[in-house]
Amino acid sequence: MEHRDNLFTYLKWRGDLTIQQDPLNEIDGLMFSELSYLRLDRVVPDVGEERTISIKEANRLYKKTNQKLMYYAQKEALFDAMAESKRYGEMTLCHYVSTTDTKTQQQFAAMHINIAPGQTFIVFRGTDSTVVGWKEDCNMSYMMPVPAQQSAVDYVERTVKGLFKKYYLGGHSKGGNLAIYSAVFSNPKFQRKIAGVYSYDGPGFNRTMVNDAAYIAIKDRIHAFVPEESVVGLLMEHEEDYSVVQSEQAGLLQHEGLFWKISGNQFELADQLHPMSQEISDGIRSFLGKVSEEEKKVLVDSFFSVFEKAGVDDFRDLLDIDAKMAAALLKAVASVPKETRELIGKLIKLLVEEKVRK
């Protein structure tokens, strides 16, 4: 196997090894996390159903449902490769749930992946491109639990039936945060069965949470990974150790785990975080430490009200912005405080620059 490969080459060179031959590792957890982003409604059995479906059969059915999404083409290609592999093809999926609720400001999705007899991996979807999903992430700066965190705990309580001897939990971005939160606040009987919790560039928690005895009790089972130029994964507080992973991408694009570098069945690690990443993380923490919880709420609400007033439900809409939407955004921006306007201006500039690069 070549040095410094990614998930696709991992599947090419190691996809013929079953879990029994090569036990679950950190790369498998990221593979499952990427799979969780796909819309598997009407494909994977819902919560409450007793049946399961293999990854191979789910892939076949997914192609028939016409849910293929251009912006998830690479994740769908990964799904195809997983389905054809000896390692993943016969693993089964179940207990699927996916909901986006603008009223409660919640975006939540999860499912079980039965990886081997007596072993299952509970994977939580990270933040998608919906405005409500990103607002919920920002709400974490002043609120705990946010609705998705409570839903994660409830989901575990509903779907864990005591049939398995060993459980893993994990997710990318917010999914990693939900995996840790649900592990910390699940019942002690289930906690004893948790073999590992995997967080891939997932944001942290407030100081109260990381000092909680329940968090400390499970901390040694948390495996956290962030890319060299991480921003999302360094938000809030972290008490667990984390590994810094090299990526084929640069800047904010390093958040995407598809192109994290891999050597064998482990990530290719960097010596340290990029100085700019650390500077941004320290700056955000310093800012959040100086403002009250109410001020954080006002800032978040003001920021996202712009998109609500302009009728933007999904940030992908901004990649094909027309004159009408641009006018609506400018009008909405003019209605919020100056400090928020400056922040929104920077975001829009970033989105435009990203579109030009593409």
Side-chain angles (χ1 to χ4, degrees):
M1 181 176 181
E2 296 177 9
H3 194 58
R4 295 183 177 177
D5 286 310
N6 58 40
L7 288 181
F8 289 98
T9 43
Y10 173 80
L11 267 168
K12 179 180 179 180
W13 295 106
R14 302 187 72 88
D16 62 335
L17 298 175
T18 66
I19 286 289
Q20 288 77 13
Q21 293 171 308
D22 183 18
L24 182 107
N25 59 63
E26 59 202 37
I27 312 302
D28 297 315
L30 180 58
M31 194 79 69
F32 300 148
S33 299
E34 292 294 333
L35 178 62
S36 74
Y37 278 102
L38 297 180
R39 303 303 189 261
L40 298 174
D41 314 71
R42 305 188 307 280
V43 174
V44 176
D46 294 337
V47 172
E49 295 188 53
E50 296 300 322
R51 64 189 181 90
T52 64
I53 186 171
S54 71
I55 287 180
K56 186 172 185 176
E57 178 62 16
N59 178 258
R60 185 190 66 79
L61 186 57
Y62 179 81
K63 292 176 180 178
K64 283 189 172 183
T65 61
N66 296 317
Q67 295 190 70
K68 292 178 73 62
L69 305 170
M70 180 178 65
Y71 44 88
Y72 279 159
Q74 291 173 319
K75 297 183 193 299
E76 290 173 338
L78 193 72
F79 189 14
D80 292 343
M82 290 176 71
E84 294 303 315
S85 72
K86 185 177 179 181
R87 185 169 185 81
Y88 301 111
E90 297 307 316
M91 291 181 181
T92 58
L93 311 174
C94 59
H95 297 315
Y96 178 81
V97 62
S98 177
T99 180
T100 300
D101 190 330
T102 56
K103 186 176 181 180
T104 61
Q105 297 178 14
Q106 175 181 204
Q107 173 254 317
F108 176 77
M111 65 180 171
H112 283 222
I113 303 175
N114 301 322
I115 62 176
Q119 300 180 49
T120 196
F121 192 108
I122 303 175
V123 64
F124 298 91
R125 182 185 296 163
T127 306
D128 57 18
S129 57
T130 59
V131 172
V132 67
W134 280 97
K135 187 171 192 293
E136 185 176 39
D137 281 5
C138 293
N139 287 344
M140 290 182 183
S141 66
Y142 66 86
M143 180 195 305
M144 195 185 81
V146 295
Q149 289 172 330
Q150 186 57 56
S151 290
V153 176
D154 295 342
Y155 175 82
V156 168
E157 295 295 327
R158 287 182 63 194
T159 59
V160 171
K161 307 296 184 182
L163 301 176
F164 292 84
K165 297 179 180 179
K166 187 180 292 187
Y167 286 88
Y168 301 90
L169 300 90
H172 171 261
S173 192
K174 184 177 72 174
N177 176 283
L178 298 182
I180 294 174
Y181 190 91
S182 60
V184 169
F185 291 103
S186 59
N187 69 72
K189 186 176 180 180
F190 171 68
Q191 281 183 339
R192 288 193 288 272
K193 293 184 176 182
I194 296 176
V197 184
Y198 292 84
S199 175
Y200 302 96
D201 210 23
F205 302 90
N206 61 31
R207 177 52 56 182
T208 300
M209 166 79 169
V210 297
N211 287 332
D212 191 288
Y215 177 91
I216 294 171
I218 205 166
K219 185 175 69 171
D220 290 345
R221 280 175 277 174
I222 298 174
H223 307 279
F225 304 89
V226 299
E228 290 176 273
E229 298 182 55
S230 173
V231 174
V232 176
L234 295 182
L235 295 175
M236 309 293 284
E237 300 290 338
H238 289 269
E239 282 299 312
E240 75 278 4
D241 294 330
Y242 58 79
S243 299
V244 181
V245 182
Q246 294 186 36
S247 171
E248 297 174 3
Q249 302 289 351
L252 292 175
L253 295 178
Q254 287 197 359
H255 182 58
E256 172 55 74
L258 278 171
F259 299 103
W260 287 7
K261 294 180 180 179
I262 295 168
S263 179
N265 60 2
Q266 296 178 313
F267 291 115
E268 186 73 20
L269 301 182
D271 294 330
Q272 60 185 7
L273 288 166
H274 190 284
M276 183 60 72
S277 176
Q278 192 64 61
E279 183 179 333
I280 292 173
S281 172
D282 292 343
I284 292 174
R285 289 185 188 182
S286 175
F287 169 76
L288 293 177
K290 292 176 181 176
V291 297
S292 68
E293 302 302 292
E294 182 58 32
E295 287 172 321
K296 293 173 189 174
K297 183 179 186 304
V298 169
L299 178 62
V300 171
D301 287 346
S302 295
F303 179 80
F304 284 94
S305 72
V306 168
F307 303 103
E308 181 181 342
K309 291 175 182 176
V312 177
D313 299 318
D314 195 301
F315 283 123
R316 290 190 304 267
D317 297 338
L318 298 179
L319 296 177
D320 293 304
I321 191 169
D322 56 19
K324 183 178 179 180
M325 182 180 290
L329 282 169
L330 288 172
K331 183 178 179 181
V333 167
S335 68
V336 300
K338 179 181 177 182
E339 294 81 3
T340 310
R341 288 203 303 271
E342 293 174 351
L343 180 61
I344 294 169
K346 291 179 181 177
L347 174 62
I348 293 175
K349 181 181 178 183
L350 179 65
L351 287 167
V352 171
E353 290 175 347
E354 183 68 22
K355 183 177 180 182
V356 170
R357 264 203 303 271
K358 291 181 179 181

